[in-house]
Amino acid sequence: MAGKLSFTGDPLWKRANDPGYRIGWRSKAKFEKGHLDGEMTYGEAEKKAEELAAQDRSKTYYPELIITEQ
């Protein structure tokens, strides 16, 4: 039986002070993806993703909404 998915933040609005986001990443050359641990607001995640992208050109970083299964 499938569980119910719930969002920790609002999936339709991306306001800077919305909680429930983390940093997601994808490799540009390989078929790899993942996320970094830790919960933060959308604004914090967006800023941190820009900083990480400037340091590591081999991956794409982005704010990712945390989805949990109940």
Side-chain angles (χ1 to χ4, degrees), residues 3-67:
K4 180 182 176 186
L5 299 178
S6 76
F7 302 102
T8 55
D10 188 359
L12 299 177
W13 298 98
K14 295 180 180 175
R15 297 182 193 110
N17 58 354
D18 284 346
Y21 286 85
R22 63 184 172 198
I23 305 293
W25 61 268
R26 288 181 184 246
S27 176
K28 292 182 179 180
K30 301 175 186 173
F31 294 105
E32 298 176 335
K33 66 178 185 174
H35 61 269
L36 304 177
D37 292 333
E39 184 176 337
M40 55 189 80
T41 65
Y42 179 77
E44 292 170 342
E46 186 175 34
K47 185 176 178 182
K48 183 72 174 175
E50 290 174 3
E51 292 172 3
L52 290 170
Q55 294 173 1
D56 186 6
R57 299 277 183 193
S58 66
K59 295 179 183 174
T60 301
Y61 295 93
Y62 52 90
E64 178 181 67
L65 184 62
I66 300 172
I67 301 173

